[in-house]
Amino acid sequence: VERLLGKGYNVKVYDKNVNLSRIMGKNKDFLYNKLPHIQEILINKIETLKNHSDIIVITSKNSDIKDLLDFNGEIIDLVRVSKIENNLSNYFGICW
């Protein structure tokens, strides 16, 4: 993410499991050291992600990720959300 930001890309991150106000200690230190811009790029609604993205990269198998499959832009799936997406023309599965 930092590399993409450094190259001028507008990056947003959606992860329903990340709540910045609840992260503490070494986890918080690690997150802010690796992604110092996390507060600006983390969004909490999947609809926001769909409405403001050209490309979505799926990196986890959260149950709400399937809500992205009607997305109009390109979808790159790194974890194989499920087998039904193989018929979508904008869906690309890699690394599985």
Side-chain angles (χ1 to χ4, degrees), residues 8 10 13 26-27 37 41 56 65 77-78 80 89 95:
N10 182 7
V13 172
K26 291 191 181 231
N27 290 332
H37 308 291
I41 63 175
I56 292 178
I65 294 299
D77 183 356
L78 302 180
R80 193 172 199 172
S89 63
C95 296

Side-chain angles (χ1 to χ4, degrees), residues 18-25 27-28:
V18 175
N19 183 334
L20 293 178
S21 64
R22 293 185 180 188
I23 297 175
M24 57 182 74
N27 290 332
K28 184 175 184 176

Side-chain angles (χ1 to χ4, degrees), residues 50-66:
K50 286 168 52 173
N51 293 333
H52 299 283
S53 300
D54 297 320
I55 299 172
I56 292 178
V57 179
I58 300 173
T59 61
S60 68
K61 287 188 178 188
N62 291 329
S63 60
D64 58 346
I65 294 299
K66 289 186 179 181

Side-chain angles (χ1 to χ4, degrees), residues 1-2 5-6 31-32 34-42:
V1 170
E2 281 297 309
L5 289 169
L31 180 62
Y32 281 93
K34 293 293 182 182
L35 292 171
H37 308 291
I38 190 67
Q39 288 183 316
E40 294 112 36
I41 63 175
L42 187 66

